[in-house]
Amino acid sequence: MNIQRINLEVSCTTPLRLLILSLLLLVVGCSSGSSNGDDNSPLDSATDNTGGDGNSDPDTDDNTGGETGNATAPAKLIGNAFSGSSIGLSWGRDGVTYSIYRGSEKIGETSNHYFVDQGLAVNTEYTYSVTAGNIESDTETARVSAKTLLNNTNNGLSNGADIVVENDRISSFAECNNARSALELLEGDLDSCLQAMLALNNMAAHLEDIRAFAARVRSEQHPAKVELGMRLFHSKSLSGDSDTACSSCHQPAVGCGGDGLSMPVGVNAVDPDLVGPGRSDGLNEVPIVARNAQPICNVALWTRGLFWDNRVAMTDRGLRTDSRDVSNNTESAVGTGTLALMMAQAHFPVTDAAEMGDITQFGYDNTSDSGFTAYREEILAEKLDSASWGSLFTAAFGDPAIDFSRIAEAIAAYEAVQLFIDNPFFDYVDGDQDALNSDEKRGAITFMAGNSGCTNCHAGAFFTNQGLRAVSYPQIGVGKDGSGNGADLGGNGVGSFRIPTLLNVAITGPWGHNGQFATLKRNVEHYRDRASSIAQYFAGSEMCNLAQFAGLQDCAIKVAPNGLALTQNIFNANGGGGANNLSDAEIELVVKFLGTLTDPGAANSDSNATQALIPPRDGGPDGRQLDAKDVAGNAL
């Protein structure tokens, strides 16, 4: 048996990739909110020297664990592939020394809160146990399984999105036995038909890409930087009046990192710690934040742009934003790599008057780039006092200096590990035919059929081509137009918005750039006939069916006073269009299929994967942490 305990400095000859293979740190910070310094230690790791079968050489060591018999199992244990030959583990920081077992063999021990197991066989599932006591005891041991990637040759640079659409009508596939729709398919033909479509769409290769991309991103993040980013993301110190955090609108326990509202409520909330339904500023019946808060999970998978209008974008010339300062500072810090889009994006909500604070209240010029830059440094960064935050910045960056560039980089690192890409549909692509039921298979076939048009925008394993598209969603809310008429013309002035990923889409409602649709089914129905959908929406005052506006007097007039006219203008400007004529039954099938794209770890707010993204409820380093709760007062 090869047991390693490593707490020494890593030689300068150690490959850089192994130095940074320390994710999984969906780190849970120490109770005081500061680092104990062990994040700068090298990764505790185990290397299999048995020829790749994943089993260490046996010896006579006792594998029953410690002798105390009264230890507590580590909290929030999670495991994920880091490559085709390594798996990373992490758990809640508590300062205890833990023994790590692969199967029944002890492979190492560490006082850190993470461990990377290396030298594993490709495409192989391993089970791990982590304990400070008796491995046979369920109360003293935490267990998790994880699988290595399919191979070690994928460089992880492709995110699984697809812009080259390959689809055809169901009747064109011989395997579908001349059926014209999924409703007509014989039960015995479902798998052969669906597999033929998957092959045409090259889905297995796209899935391999997205998994390799996610594994690379995980492995690149340093635990101390992620821990700092988590604390910052949940800190109200980054808002002008210290009443709003990033997690006010992007709470990991709500809808994969959203808030469950059509339009978010940022500053001046009556109860700043209340997140999601029930959150209000007590004044504005229609929120003054114009667009739906997109889920933050899987944000690291986007490579072209962020925000609903892609206004933070990666181009052939590098990073493009509305601020030259932000673009230059971001590229100076992280180049144009994994963190660039997220780091750049993190600069903007903190200077949005409705979201996190009005810089003019502090005397800064909101018409100049320099005004925003000065506010971030002189107000927000300065608010993070060294006594409270210095040790966290030292652990993450090597010294206690605090500036907004470092703040944004740490937030990006924390966002980067919020990856939820395991789901039943991907299990089916892997070969598990029982992962989907008959209706879900019929829904997948309908979704991928050429006549539905779904894959024109939602192709590949990321289920988006990452571009902008005008699809004439109903215009509601305060809008982004400077005239104040409620219009939102999107990213190119004709009502175009970023095509969202459909991963986890079933849990990220309300749906649309304004959260226009209360159900996923109604959202899918919009694509059957957009003209009819628009007419139906406003004739039925469907905006008043949204939970956020239920019971609002004169709801339609307040929520969408010019909605129909504005929407029709956008529809006409884009030449109308958009009809796939799917039947009600086919739409039901598509919705059932979309439900199979949900990661169970994201759907369950109590899962280790979700809870590992939420800091200890200790008030944070400076007492301004947003310890979120729902409208009933339950902790989120």
Side-chain angles (χ1 to χ4, degrees), residues 68 74 78 90 99 220 247 315 349 354 396 402 416 498 509 525-526 542 566 607 631:
T68 63
I78 54 178
S90 75
S99 297
E220 288 176 349
S247 59
T315 71
I402 300 174
R498 188 179 72 163
E525 286 176 343
H526 177 73
E542 290 186 29
L566 293 172
S607 70
V631 70

mmCIF file of all heavy atoms in Angstrom, residues 68 74 78 90 99 220 247 315 349 354 396 402 416 498 509 525-526 542 566 607 631:
data_model
loop_
_atom_site.group_PDB
_atom_site.id
_atom_site.type_symbol
_atom_site.label_atom_id
_atom_site.label_comp_id
_atom_site.label_asym_id
_atom_site.label_seq_id
_atom_site.Cartn_x
_atom_site.Cartn_y
_atom_site.Cartn_z
ATOM 1 N N THR A 68 -10.266 6.473 17.903
ATOM 2 C CA THR A 68 -11.039 7.250 18.860
ATOM 3 C C THR A 68 -12.489 6.807 18.912
ATOM 4 O O THR A 68 -13.110 6.820 19.953
ATOM 5 C CB THR A 68 -10.994 8.742 18.497
ATOM 6 O OG1 THR A 68 -11.605 8.926 17.219
ATOM 7 C CG2 THR A 68 -9.563 9.237 18.454
ATOM 8 N N PRO A 74 -16.402 14.386 7.943
ATOM 9 C CA PRO A 74 -16.248 15.706 7.325
ATOM 10 C C PRO A 74 -17.529 16.128 6.626
ATOM 11 O O PRO A 74 -18.225 15.299 6.028
ATOM 12 C CB PRO A 74 -15.104 15.509 6.330
ATOM 13 C CG PRO A 74 -15.108 14.043 6.037
ATOM 14 C CD PRO A 74 -15.518 13.388 7.317
ATOM 15 N N ILE A 78 -17.411 16.357 -1.494
ATOM 16 C CA ILE A 78 -17.761 16.246 -2.907
ATOM 17 C C ILE A 78 -16.553 15.731 -3.671
ATOM 18 O O ILE A 78 -15.404 15.873 -3.233
ATOM 19 C CB ILE A 78 -18.228 17.586 -3.510
ATOM 20 C CG1 ILE A 78 -17.197 18.684 -3.269
ATOM 21 C CG2 ILE A 78 -19.562 18.001 -2.939
ATOM 22 C CD1 ILE A 78 -17.585 20.017 -3.875
ATOM 23 N N SER A 90 -13.079 17.439 -1.919
ATOM 24 C CA SER A 90 -13.028 18.545 -0.971
ATOM 25 C C SER A 90 -14.140 18.390 0.041
ATOM 26 O O SER A 90 -15.131 17.702 -0.209
ATOM 27 C CB SER A 90 -13.143 19.898 -1.683
ATOM 28 O OG SER A 90 -14.465 20.152 -2.093
ATOM 29 N N SER A 99 -8.058 10.860 7.126
ATOM 30 C CA SER A 99 -7.514 9.778 6.306
ATOM 31 C C SER A 99 -8.408 9.609 5.088
ATOM 32 O O SER A 99 -9.632 9.674 5.194
ATOM 33 C CB SER A 99 -7.463 8.470 7.100
ATOM 34 O OG SER A 99 -6.593 8.588 8.206
ATOM 35 N N GLU A 220 -7.951 24.187 -12.215
ATOM 36 C CA GLU A 220 -7.144 25.409 -12.265
ATOM 37 C C GLU A 220 -7.354 26.336 -11.067
ATOM 38 O O GLU A 220 -6.554 27.235 -10.842
ATOM 39 C CB GLU A 220 -7.474 26.195 -13.545
ATOM 40 C CG GLU A 220 -6.956 25.559 -14.814
ATOM 41 C CD GLU A 220 -7.386 26.316 -16.057
ATOM 42 O OE1 GLU A 220 -8.266 27.215 -15.947
ATOM 43 O OE2 GLU A 220 -6.863 25.998 -17.144
ATOM 44 N N SER A 247 -24.900 37.592 -3.904
ATOM 45 C CA SER A 247 -25.826 36.490 -3.649
ATOM 46 C C SER A 247 -27.231 36.964 -3.317
ATOM 47 O O SER A 247 -28.128 36.133 -3.135
ATOM 48 C CB SER A 247 -25.292 35.601 -2.519
ATOM 49 O OG SER A 247 -25.107 36.336 -1.320
ATOM 50 N N THR A 315 -13.585 38.463 -28.004
ATOM 51 C CA THR A 315 -13.525 38.592 -29.456
ATOM 52 C C THR A 315 -12.145 38.181 -29.954
ATOM 53 O O THR A 315 -11.245 37.864 -29.175
ATOM 54 C CB THR A 315 -13.806 40.051 -29.866
ATOM 55 O OG1 THR A 315 -12.676 40.872 -29.499
ATOM 56 C CG2 THR A 315 -15.061 40.577 -29.190
ATOM 57 N N PRO A 349 -22.085 44.919 -11.816
ATOM 58 C CA PRO A 349 -23.222 45.010 -10.895
ATOM 59 C C PRO A 349 -22.947 45.914 -9.690
ATOM 60 O O PRO A 349 -23.867 46.583 -9.197
ATOM 61 C CB PRO A 349 -23.436 43.555 -10.462
ATOM 62 C CG PRO A 349 -22.918 42.754 -11.608
ATOM 63 C CD PRO A 349 -21.724 43.516 -12.103
ATOM 64 N N ALA A 354 -29.326 50.435 -9.400
ATOM 65 C CA ALA A 354 -30.461 49.633 -8.953
ATOM 66 C C ALA A 354 -30.029 48.322 -8.324
ATOM 67 O O ALA A 354 -30.727 47.767 -7.473
ATOM 68 C CB ALA A 354 -31.402 49.353 -10.123
ATOM 69 N N ALA A 396 -4.759 33.977 -0.675
ATOM 70 C CA ALA A 396 -5.132 33.862 -2.088
ATOM 71 C C ALA A 396 -4.086 34.440 -3.025
ATOM 72 O O ALA A 396 -3.850 33.902 -4.113
ATOM 73 C CB ALA A 396 -6.473 34.551 -2.325
ATOM 74 N N ILE A 402 -5.282 44.847 -0.965
ATOM 75 C CA ILE A 402 -6.666 44.709 -1.393
ATOM 76 C C ILE A 402 -6.978 45.766 -2.442
ATOM 77 O O ILE A 402 -6.826 46.968 -2.192
ATOM 78 C CB ILE A 402 -7.639 44.869 -0.200
ATOM 79 C CG1 ILE A 402 -7.369 43.801 0.858
ATOM 80 C CG2 ILE A 402 -9.093 44.785 -0.677
ATOM 81 C CD1 ILE A 402 -8.180 43.971 2.135
ATOM 82 N N ALA A 416 -16.261 30.028 -10.890
ATOM 83 C CA ALA A 416 -15.762 29.017 -11.826
ATOM 84 C C ALA A 416 -16.007 27.597 -11.346
ATOM 85 O O ALA A 416 -16.106 26.675 -12.166
ATOM 86 C CB ALA A 416 -14.266 29.233 -12.070
ATOM 87 N N ARG A 498 -29.085 36.974 -25.423
ATOM 88 C CA ARG A 498 -28.227 35.797 -25.435
ATOM 89 C C ARG A 498 -29.060 34.532 -25.297
ATOM 90 O O ARG A 498 -29.975 34.456 -24.476
ATOM 91 C CB ARG A 498 -27.215 35.881 -24.282
ATOM 92 C CG ARG A 498 -26.158 34.804 -24.340
ATOM 93 C CD ARG A 498 -25.159 34.932 -23.201
ATOM 94 N NE ARG A 498 -25.752 34.548 -21.929
ATOM 95 C CZ ARG A 498 -25.026 34.246 -20.852
ATOM 96 N NH1 ARG A 498 -23.710 34.315 -20.893
ATOM 97 N NH2 ARG A 498 -25.616 33.914 -19.721
ATOM 98 N N GLY A 509 -36.542 28.987 -13.511
ATOM 99 C CA GLY A 509 -37.594 29.948 -13.830
ATOM 100 C C GLY A 509 -37.698 31.056 -12.803
ATOM 101 O O GLY A 509 -37.057 30.998 -11.745
ATOM 102 N N GLU A 525 -44.054 26.916 -25.583
ATOM 103 C CA GLU A 525 -45.193 27.204 -26.456
ATOM 104 C C GLU A 525 -44.980 28.474 -27.269
ATOM 105 O O GLU A 525 -45.505 28.592 -28.390
ATOM 106 C CB GLU A 525 -46.466 27.360 -25.615
ATOM 107 C CG GLU A 525 -47.018 26.057 -25.084
ATOM 108 C CD GLU A 525 -48.210 26.275 -24.177
ATOM 109 O OE1 GLU A 525 -48.407 27.425 -23.709
ATOM 110 O OE2 GLU A 525 -48.948 25.305 -23.919
ATOM 111 N N HIS A 526 -44.228 29.408 -26.742
ATOM 112 C CA HIS A 526 -43.995 30.673 -27.449
ATOM 113 C C HIS A 526 -43.409 30.433 -28.838
ATOM 114 O O HIS A 526 -43.679 31.183 -29.783
ATOM 115 C CB HIS A 526 -43.062 31.551 -26.618
ATOM 116 C CG HIS A 526 -42.695 32.849 -27.276
ATOM 117 N ND1 HIS A 526 -43.582 33.899 -27.392
ATOM 118 C CD2 HIS A 526 -41.528 33.268 -27.859
ATOM 119 C CE1 HIS A 526 -42.989 34.916 -28.008
ATOM 120 N NE2 HIS A 526 -41.750 34.557 -28.303
ATOM 121 N N GLU A 542 -50.876 37.794 -18.980
ATOM 122 C CA GLU A 542 -50.125 36.700 -18.368
ATOM 123 C C GLU A 542 -49.032 37.183 -17.421
ATOM 124 O O GLU A 542 -48.587 36.428 -16.551
ATOM 125 C CB GLU A 542 -49.523 35.807 -19.454
ATOM 126 C CG GLU A 542 -50.557 35.004 -20.210
ATOM 127 C CD GLU A 542 -49.920 34.010 -21.180
ATOM 128 O OE1 GLU A 542 -48.799 33.540 -20.909
ATOM 129 O OE2 GLU A 542 -50.554 33.717 -22.214
ATOM 130 N N LEU A 566 -44.851 47.636 -27.826
ATOM 131 C CA LEU A 566 -43.395 47.492 -27.878
ATOM 132 C C LEU A 566 -43.002 46.119 -28.429
ATOM 133 O O LEU A 566 -42.065 46.002 -29.225
ATOM 134 C CB LEU A 566 -42.800 47.681 -26.478
ATOM 135 C CG LEU A 566 -42.910 49.087 -25.879
ATOM 136 C CD1 LEU A 566 -42.472 49.077 -24.415
ATOM 137 C CD2 LEU A 566 -42.064 50.080 -26.674
ATOM 138 N N SER A 607 -27.953 19.445 -1.106
ATOM 139 C CA SER A 607 -26.872 18.575 -1.572
ATOM 140 C C SER A 607 -25.513 19.138 -1.153
ATOM 141 O O SER A 607 -25.350 20.349 -0.964
ATOM 142 C CB SER A 607 -26.921 18.446 -3.098
ATOM 143 O OG SER A 607 -26.551 19.663 -3.719
ATOM 144 N N VAL A 631 -38.685 33.611 2.485
ATOM 145 C CA VAL A 631 -39.741 34.439 3.033
ATOM 146 C C VAL A 631 -40.302 33.868 4.335
ATOM 147 O O VAL A 631 -40.854 34.613 5.156
ATOM 148 C CB VAL A 631 -40.860 34.635 1.987
ATOM 149 C CG1 VAL A 631 -41.620 33.328 1.756
ATOM 150 C CG2 VAL A 631 -41.802 35.755 2.372
#
